[in-house]
Amino acid sequence: MEGPGIPLVKSDGYYARYVSTDHLIEEDKITMSSGMKSPQIKQHLGHRLRRRKELIGKRSMVVDLSFILSITGVVIIVIDTELQFAGIVSPLDAISITMRAITTVTSVLLVLSVVAYNLIGIQLKIVSAGLDNWQLVITYSTVLKMIAEAIVCFFHPFPFGDIKIPMTVVEFEAERAEFNTRYVPLNSILAILMFLRLYILGRFLVVHSDLFKDTTVQSLGTLSKVNINAQFVFKALMTTRPGTCLSAILVTTLLINSWSLRVCEYHTNPADGKDHYAQALWLTAVTFLTLGYGDVTPQSICGRVIAIQTGLMGVGIMALCVAVLARKLEQTRPERYVHTFVQQIHMDKLKRHAAADVVKQSFIVWRLRKRGYALNHRYILRHRRKLLDAIRKMNQSHLIKSHLRECAIGTVEVSKGVGEVNDIVTSLKEENLHVNQRLENLEKLVTNIHFQLYEMKEMLRASSKNN
């Protein structure tokens, strides 16, 4: 998904001057009234900014329409399926046909809105790059993405008829698995596939996210070469509100997968339809949490596929939950610094007490030896054990304190290190000044010696002339 903060760059290297939007609107009116197209208008940066702003607004409206159509179709099909399971209506009743016809209309409109969304995206690329031909920005991946979205959004039950397809069902008799064939309505499978269109919910949340709409965030992303897209918004939400995001994903996955599993398993044994949803919810929860009790198992191939997909999603989401919980339980830097500081104080106190015990036990052993007790006497052995224990505690506290000092780097340590560096720099400056003074003194002394030698030379020359 393209963000509104992508810089406007022309491919030919020409940097167009900025023209106000109001002036461009007047030029557009004059050009349109005269029936002439001005190719120079497209060269203005202001025109491109205004055009892109309009396209972004249209894209938001298209996304809103797609979201409403997708949710409406899913809700109508769920209601129709539940009414059929309850025996209130049959697939050939007028009410059921009408509801499925409405779903067909919403699906067609949804496909058109998805195509319009992709076309607007292509126009945004053209305006952002300053090009004049759509063939320069469209690629095979864009076309394949548009076709795949159209196919996914077109999945819906047929409004007329009750087509049934064969499906393999695993039945256990006398501790032996037997593979039988049951005929399942095709509309039930298509109703399950309709949940694939809920990816539009993520697009809806991204388009209406403050991070995506904020021009400041878009500008910072452009300067930092960061693409503000759905992945960026999801990471930001997982950082700011991880519990809410994971809870929403968890509940949505359990409800959708349990209902889909119920639809798959309902046609294998319709007589037990009244308690299928509870069993499906229990099976989905057990599979999602990777417990696998085995008391309830899916019998249809469709149900087993959904169970596999549920297990894969459960592994990923549980890993995210563990990561978020570990990050929440981890101490922040101020908390870690306070805890380390308290431990250092405790180690200092323990070291002092151990040192006092060393002195105390050493004095007691010395006094007992003075009284004539042997080294293997029980009194001396007891105090020697206490002496060794005190020495061990003192060494251990010193080791732990040194380890804490190495691991904990807080503001106090940083300021202390900066102070020590400042003291070293100050002392070096003072020594440098002292050395410079001594050099100046040496220079003066050498100059004086030079003058004295010159005077002695002159005196010797004068005395030699007199002689």
Side-chain angles (χ1 to χ4, degrees), residues 64-75:
D64 295 342
L65 179 61
S66 301
F67 175 72
I68 294 173
L69 291 173
S70 61
I71 294 298
T72 302
V74 170
V75 171

Side-chain angles (χ1 to χ4, degrees), residues 382-393:
R382 183 177 62 185
H383 289 289
R384 286 179 65 184
R385 283 194 297 268
K386 292 182 180 180
L387 175 62
L388 293 176
D389 186 58
I391 294 173
R392 182 184 58 80
K393 288 182 180 180

Side-chain angles (χ1 to χ4, degrees), residues 336 340 401-410:
R336 187 167 58 252
T340 305
K401 184 180 177 182
S402 62
H403 179 70
L404 292 174
R405 191 183 298 112
E406 293 175 357
C407 295
I409 300 177

Side-chain angles (χ1 to χ4, degrees), residues 156-193:
H156 69 282
F158 297 117
F160 302 102
D162 188 14
I163 304 173
K164 294 186 178 182
I165 58 174
M167 179 178 294
T168 304
V169 177
V170 182
E171 296 180 353
F172 294 92
E173 294 183 1
E175 299 182 356
R176 187 170 58 91
E178 293 184 359
F179 294 89
N180 299 323
T181 302
R182 296 288 180 87
Y183 286 91
V184 179
L186 179 60
N187 286 340
S188 298
I189 306 300
L190 294 175
I192 296 173
L193 294 177

Side-chain angles (χ1 to χ4, degrees), residues 192 257-258 260-261 264 301-311:
I192 296 173
N257 288 9
S258 59
S260 302
L261 189 62
C264 288
I301 298 299
C302 173
R304 295 195 173 195
V305 171
I306 294 176
I308 293 173
Q309 181 257 345
T310 304

Side-chain angles (χ1 to χ4, degrees), residues 196-221:
L196 295 176
R197 63 177 65 181
L198 291 183
Y199 77 94
I200 298 178
L201 174 61
R203 181 177 291 172
F204 175 80
L205 295 176
V206 171
V207 169
H208 292 280
S209 174
D210 294 334
L211 293 174
F212 192 79
K213 295 189 296 183
D214 193 357
T215 55
T216 304
V217 177
Q218 296 290 343
S219 301
L220 291 175

